């Protein structure tokens, strides 16, 4: 089942903060975050593993609530380059590392 | 350090034809996953290859098949193309073993079926 992302779209000014949420109905092993700009491939940002380990981008942070099967991506002091569509990909245990992606959150940062 | 590469970049085919897409994984990676991304949607998992075998498959018909070579590169084949197969096909590479599963995507192949 596809994870649910919210909001679907957000517009903010440079320097403002944003939070993007990802929620799953299944018990998760890990959550992956990607940013995709128009016409380009998704770029890896962050992986959050069950048990709290986190690996990824040094200017973007994220959390993973294992009890609620929810993850949030925190974008602070946004830059113009942060614009794009953000996808979360979820991995369930014993799925041979298959990722199921949400439908995306479109983020637009204005000057 | 070369990242994930895919070829060709763009492809135009007609209904009923067959197509082969190619992917070379990031150096040091041994696992290749293929995804289909329709316009405005998130990537959808097609299948994954590890140790030259299909390890996991998503909800795609048998018209979609693949192969992995000893050097870990991979091919995606689609037979009897339909208009609905038009999409961006993404290849992602990762390490098959280990606790984490960071997947890095290639630039994709844009397939248009007329």
């Amino acid at each position: 089942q596809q994870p649910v992302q919210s909001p679907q779209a957000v517009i903010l000014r440079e320097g403002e903060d944003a939070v993007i949420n990802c929620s799953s109905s299944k018990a998760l092993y890990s959550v992956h975050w990607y940013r995709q700009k128009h016409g380009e491939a998704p770029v890896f940002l962050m992986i959050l593993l069950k048990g709290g380990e986190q690996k990824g981008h040094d200017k973007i942070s994220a959390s993973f609530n294992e009890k609620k099967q929810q993850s949030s991506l925190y974008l602070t002091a946004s830059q113009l380059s942060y614009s794009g569509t953000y996808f979360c990909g979820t991995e369930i245990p014993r799925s041979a590392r298959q990722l199921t992606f949400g439908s995306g959150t479109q983020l637009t940062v204005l000057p | 350090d070369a990242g994930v590469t895919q070829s060709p970049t763009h492809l135009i085919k007609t209904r009923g034809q067959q197509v082969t897409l190619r992917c070379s994984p990031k150096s040091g990676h041994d696992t290749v996953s293929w995804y289909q991304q329709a316009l405005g949607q998130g990537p959808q998992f097609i299948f994954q290859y590890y140790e030259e075998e299909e390890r996991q498959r998503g909800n795609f018909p048998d018209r979609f098949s693949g192969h992995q070579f000893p050097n870990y590169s991979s091919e995606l084949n689609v037979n009897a193309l339909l208009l609905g197969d038009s999409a961006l096909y993404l290849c992602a590479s990762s390490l098959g073993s280990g606790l984490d599963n960071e997947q890095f995507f290639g630039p994709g192949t844009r397939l248009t079926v007329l």
Side-chain angles (χ1 to χ4, degrees), chain A residues 2 29-30 32 34 36 39-42 44 47 49 53 55 87 91 94-104, chain B residues 35 37 40-43 45 48 55-58 88 90 95-108:
Chain A
Q2 187 180 36
Y29 174 74
S30 67
H32 303 229
Y34 291 83
Q36 186 175 32
E40 299 180 9
F44 172 79
I47 179 173
L49 302 172
E53 186 175 353
K55 296 168 65 172
F87 292 100
E91 179 186 1
R94 296 176 296 282
S95 67
R97 299 171 180 265
Q98 173 180 340
L99 290 183
T100 303
F101 285 90
S103 56
Chain B
Y35 293 84
Q37 187 176 27
Q41 302 292 319
F45 179 79
Q48 183 182 86
R55 181 161 73 166
Q56 187 80 353
R57 187 177 184 93
L88 179 67
L90 295 163
L95 268 176
S97 58
L99 293 177
D100 63 68
N101 178 28
E102 296 174 62
Q103 294 192 18
F104 294 87
F105 284 88

